[in-house]
Amino acid sequence: MQYAFRRHAGTTPLGYLRSVRLAHTHTDLKAAAPHEGATVTGIAMRWGFTHPGRFSALYKNAYGLPPSATLGAEPSDSHGRQHISDAGRRKQGQR
């Protein structure tokens, strides 16, 4: 059965499950609010990543940056530029 799964999905069942959990973690990290107490460790643990160092390495390998850089990141437009929220403008002294 594992052979058939690997042929069909291109990975092992465990590898597939890990990639799904990693994708959900990525989504949660982007949506998280660090000022409300969200942490990388807490979100990773919620998705079953119990070893912070291993999680960080897997995440960086998959997304090219550490999970802490994603935590609460503002959404970007289609060109990859970050939008500055009204709160961010006020913080910077802009209007």
Side-chain angles (χ1 to χ4, degrees):
M1 189 152 103
Q2 283 191 3
Y3 177 73
F5 188 94
R6 188 183 210 38
R7 257 188 42 220
H8 177 72
T11 187
T12 64
L14 184 58
Y16 176 77
L17 180 59
R18 183 181 297 128
S19 69
V20 168
R21 289 177 22 235
L22 202 54
H24 283 291
T25 305
H26 179 69
T27 300
D28 284 0
L29 284 169
K30 288 190 301 184
H35 63 278
E36 293 177 2
T39 65
V40 170
T41 301
I43 293 169
M45 294 287 254
R46 183 179 325 135
W47 286 104
F49 295 100
T50 58
H51 190 284
R54 285 189 205 131
F55 166 71
S56 184
L58 285 168
Y59 189 91
K60 190 170 184 177
N61 187 48
Y63 296 101
L65 65 160
S68 59
T70 305
L71 181 62
E74 293 188 78
S76 58
D77 65 16
S78 61
H79 301 289
R81 296 178 296 228
Q82 286 191 333
H83 296 284
I84 299 176
S85 65
D86 289 337
R89 283 189 200 99
R90 282 192 294 272
K91 197 181 290 182
Q92 294 174 357
Q94 300 173 354
R95 183 126 192 163

